[in-house]
């Protein structure tokens, strides 16, 4: 568990405080297990897992035996995952086509210029929302071919060694132009790039928050006619990776932008983009019998029409021996398998 993940969730610190107040340190394994069981129905398994990690970390810092390593606590977590499930709820990726619809909905106003730049830079740089709002003017360098963006710290760079990524110019919706339009209109030369705008239309000197990014993504998804509840700040990063994978980009080139440490983490994006590529069912999904008449059926045709195709293939499989017989026998067979 990273320090960022720990500090991002106040409930984790609350869990530690509850353990400490109930029995002081060290906490008894039974107390931790009881706490987990009490919150199993109201908190996700992943959330409880982070709380377990935080409790264990607090004991390690104090030099005490860790109660979360006991079989009782582990068994409780296994039971929670089996009962309530542990699958992550994945947000919809704002793929390239959808991103164009979202930025097209941006109004011709100061806030619209900011939001358009934020969406395009977040997408083109595969940025996490915390990385997006942390950008300063000094982190951006414009070149003839695009932008050089320095990410000074991230979820996978806790020691803030920093890394520079490239954002290419675009033809239809250019992130470089969008950012320049926003900076010029807002008069920003240094400091935070993405800032709040008050009701009077004045650009503030502070930064947007992580939550602001999520709200902006949801708002523009709704404006473009998408289900806003399925979108989040992560949709920008996921959208870039899914779009790149769909276009056949090298996974290593994708890692240059996304800064993933493991190929396995990226594999899910590639798999999502290629679910229908060379599909195992392609060989048979287009096969259906020709239309029958009083003379019976004579051969196969290659078209695919949803439910009709499913019935046709089922007929072919189940009624193969009757294919050369009159149409009424095939019709009867259809009724049987239906």
């Amino acid at each position: 568990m990273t320090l960022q993940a720990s500090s991002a969730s106040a409930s984790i610190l609350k869990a530690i405080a509850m353990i400490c107040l109930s029995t002081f340190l060290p906490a008894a394994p039974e107390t931790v297990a009881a706490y987990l069981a009490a919150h199993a129905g109201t908190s996700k398994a992943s959330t409880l897992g982070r709380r377990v990690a935080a409790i264990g970390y607090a004991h390690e810092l104090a030099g005490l035996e860790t109660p979360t390593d006991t079989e009782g606590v582990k068994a409780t977590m296994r039971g929670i995952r089996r009962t309530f499930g542990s699958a992550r709820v994945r947000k919809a990726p704002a793929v390239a086509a959808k991103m164009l619809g979202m930025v097209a909905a941006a109004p011709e106003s100061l806030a619209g210029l900011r939001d358009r730049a934020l969406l395009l830079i977040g997408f083109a740089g595969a940025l996490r929302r915390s990385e997006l709002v942390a950008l300063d003017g000094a982190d951006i360098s414009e070149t003839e071919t695009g932008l050089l963006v320095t990410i000074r710290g991230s979820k996978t760079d806790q020691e803030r060694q920093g890394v520079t990524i490239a954002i290419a110019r675009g033809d239809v919706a250019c992130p470089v132009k969008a950012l320049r339009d926003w900076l010029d209109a807002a008069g920003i030369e240094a400091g935070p790039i993405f800032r709040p705008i008050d009701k009077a239309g004045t650009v503030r000197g502070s930064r947007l928050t992580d939550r602001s990014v999520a709200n902006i993504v949801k708002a523009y998804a709704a404006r473009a006619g998408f289900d806003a509840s399925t979108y989040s700040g992560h949709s920008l990063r996921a959208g870039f990776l899914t779009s790149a994978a769909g276009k056949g980009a090298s996974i290593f080139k994708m890692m240059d932008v996304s800064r993933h440490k493991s190929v396995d983490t990226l594999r899910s994006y590639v798999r999502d983009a290629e679910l229908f590529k060379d599909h195992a069912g392609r060989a048979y999904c287009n096969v259906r019998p020709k239309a029958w008449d009083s003379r019976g059926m004579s051969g196969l045709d290659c078209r695919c029409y949803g439910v009709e195709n499913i019935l046709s293939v089922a007929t072919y499989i189940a009624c193969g021996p009757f294919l050369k017989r009159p149409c009424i026998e095939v019709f009867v067979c259809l009724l049987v398998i239906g």
Side-chain angles (χ1 to χ4, degrees):
M1 183 188 67
T2 64
L3 292 177
Q4 179 179 348
S6 178
S7 61
S9 177
S11 61
I12 295 177
L13 299 179
K14 181 180 179 181
I16 297 176
M18 289 178 65
I19 295 295
C20 294
L21 289 174
S22 60
T23 61
F24 303 100
L25 291 177
E30 295 79 7
T31 303
V32 178
Y35 170 79
L36 295 174
H39 289 77
T42 56
S43 299
K44 296 180 181 178
S46 58
T47 300
L48 293 177
R50 289 195 298 271
R51 293 177 184 176
V52 167
I55 292 169
Y57 185 62
H59 281 74
E60 289 179 3
L61 287 178
L64 299 171
E65 185 176 352
T66 306
T68 54
D69 289 338
T70 62
E71 182 58 28
V73 174
K74 292 180 179 179
T76 301
M77 279 304 304
R78 287 196 298 268
I80 290 172
R81 292 189 179 100
R82 285 196 299 267
T83 303
F84 299 98
S86 57
R88 296 179 60 186
V89 179
R90 299 182 63 181
K91 293 298 185 178
V95 294
K98 292 184 177 181
M99 178 55 59
L100 291 177
M102 290 166 67
V103 297
E108 295 299 325
S109 63
L110 195 58
L113 292 175
R114 180 202 62 191
D115 296 345
R116 181 181 176 88
L118 182 145
L119 292 171
L120 289 174
I121 293 294
F123 172 85
L127 298 175
R128 300 177 178 90
R129 57 182 186 174
S130 59
E131 298 166 350
L132 193 55
V133 297
L135 289 177
D136 286 335
D139 300 329
I140 305 293
S141 176
E142 186 172 346
T143 70
E144 292 183 0
T145 51
L147 297 175
L148 294 177
V149 180
T150 300
I151 311 298
R152 302 196 180 279
S154 68
K155 177 181 177 181
T156 55
D157 182 17
Q158 294 292 318
E159 297 181 357
R160 299 182 63 81
Q161 295 180 354
V163 64
T164 299
I165 64 170
I167 292 180
R169 294 181 184 272
D171 295 327
V172 179
C174 179
V176 181
K177 182 180 184 302
L179 181 61
R180 176 49 51 198
D181 289 345
W182 156 243
L183 293 177
D184 289 346
I188 298 174
E189 298 180 355
I193 288 179
F194 296 111
R195 309 181 182 189
I197 301 173
D198 62 24
K199 294 181 179 180
T202 303
V203 178
R204 309 295 294 271
S206 56
R207 300 178 189 276
L208 286 179
T209 64
D210 292 7
R211 174 50 56 187
S212 297
V213 175
N215 291 340
I216 289 171
V217 172
K218 287 179 176 292
Y220 281 90
R223 289 188 182 190
F226 309 132
D227 181 0
S229 67
T230 64
Y231 286 79
S232 71
H234 185 69
S235 294
L236 302 180
R237 181 173 171 83
F240 172 86
L241 294 172
T242 304
S243 298
K247 291 294 184 180
S250 162
I251 196 168
F252 298 106
K253 284 295 185 180
M254 291 166 62
M255 291 176 72
D256 285 343
V257 180
S258 68
R259 294 151 286 118
H260 278 96
K261 300 296 184 182
S262 170
V263 173
D264 290 339
T265 308
L266 274 179
R267 188 172 296 167
S268 62
Y269 295 103
V270 177
R271 180 180 180 277
D272 288 349
E274 297 183 348
L275 280 175
F276 292 99
K277 183 178 181 181
D278 298 327
H279 194 280
R282 188 177 298 279
Y284 67 79
C285 85
N286 292 329
V287 177
R288 80 177 187 92
K290 285 183 178 179
W292 50 77
D293 53 26
S294 60
R295 294 170 297 176
M297 298 168 58
S298 58
L300 298 174
D301 193 7
C302 292
R303 286 184 289 176
C304 186
Y305 295 129
V307 174
E308 180 185 8
N309 179 70
I310 295 173
L311 290 175
S312 300
V313 174
T315 303
Y316 177 70
I317 294 173
C319 309
F322 306 106
L323 288 180
K324 296 296 182 179
R325 298 192 180 183
C327 129
I328 185 63
E329 297 187 24
V330 177
F331 179 71
V332 170
C333 185
L334 262 177
L335 293 178
V336 172
I337 67 174

